[in-house]
Amino acid sequence: MTHNTPTAQPAVLDTIAATRRYVREARAASRRVALVPTMGALHEGHLSLVTRGRELADVVIVSIFVNPLQFGPNEDFDRYPRTFDADLAALGGRADAVFAPSVAEMYPSGASQTTVHAGAVAGLFEGTSRPGHFDGMLTVVSKLFNVVQPDIALFGQKDAQQVFLVKQMVADLDLPLAIEAVPIVRESDGLALSSRNRYLSTTERELALGLSSALRVAGEASASGIAAARRAALAAFDQRPDVRLDYLDIVDPATFLPLGDDATGDALMLVAARVGATRLIDNAPLHF
């Protein structure tokens, strides 16, 4: 594979037509295309996806689109950080192009009349707190796949349920691309990088370490089984009453369904909690 060198400033594509022309030109040059779907407010976690995309493909396209379909009526769509100029600067020398459509470009009739239903797993965990979120997410991801038609798309493992559902959609609908999950990027103290971390005050950021701390002690207790790992994680939250636990569970990575206490093999611990007004999620692999 011959990798091209990205320019200091990625090409900015704000229409579907322009993006399709760009991809056609890449295909004409026999270049492999990677897509990194984002909602902007980029941090090092996003940039790790771009870096991995550069390793796997010749052309890396980053989409920046805050998708209204995946926000509920009481969620932070209007508040969600939009930092396009900073995002573009961060992608300089890393990505080849940025697909940054308007809402009207993606949903010209105001909303998609045809949507993707994410299935039963979408009603669990994040889906319980955010009904309809994953239908909206898969709908826009399927649209992005149709616009860009990448060889590979990269997602962050921090959004583990999203990764599972995207992989399921690709398999169920026979979409001709590969999905790669890139490991979580953390601060030196263990906090998982998130665009929502910028909402945290200094005190709240310290409290937010409760999520990664709970995952860590669960890993330390995992040799004693699933029940012990769960007890250890819950005890860690008990020590931080200002961190309001939404859910904590252990699932089978192959099905994303909760595991019983007698299960063995690979597993994934999921956690979501509120720190102040900010809702954070995290996860970690375990083995029993």
Side-chain angles (χ1 to χ4, degrees), residues 214-233 250 261-269 284-288:
L215 294 172
R216 185 180 67 254
V217 298
E220 293 167 354
S222 61
S224 299
I226 287 181
R230 186 180 287 109
R231 283 195 301 270
I250 300 172
D261 288 350
D262 59 348
T264 59
D266 291 334
L268 190 67
M269 177 170 273
L286 299 174
H287 186 81
F288 299 101

Side-chain angles (χ1 to χ4, degrees), residues 106-188:
M106 292 297 281
Y107 303 115
S109 60
S112 279
Q113 300 303 309
T114 302
T115 60
V116 177
H117 176 55
V121 168
L124 306 175
F125 311 118
E126 287 300 287
T128 300
S129 301
R130 308 178 68 189
H133 165 73
F134 287 118
D135 288 359
M137 179 275 295
L138 287 184
T139 297
V140 79
V141 167
S142 68
K143 287 170 71 72
L144 291 170
F145 288 172
N146 281 325
V147 171
V148 178
Q149 298 189 356
D151 297 284
I152 186 166
L154 300 101
F155 294 83
Q157 178 60 30
K158 185 177 74 69
D159 297 300
Q161 192 172 6
Q162 171 177 275
V163 172
F164 175 85
L165 291 169
V166 169
K167 287 182 174 180
Q168 178 176 269
M169 176 181 73
V170 167
D172 288 349
L173 301 184
D174 303 308
L175 301 181
L177 76 158
I179 302 298
E180 170 124 345
V182 177
I184 297 171
V185 177
R186 299 183 182 276
E187 301 278 8
S188 58

Side-chain angles (χ1 to χ4, degrees), residues 93-112:
R94 300 173 185 259
D96 299 286
V98 173
F99 176 42
S102 65
V103 173
E105 179 71 10
M106 292 297 281
Y107 303 115
S109 60
S112 279

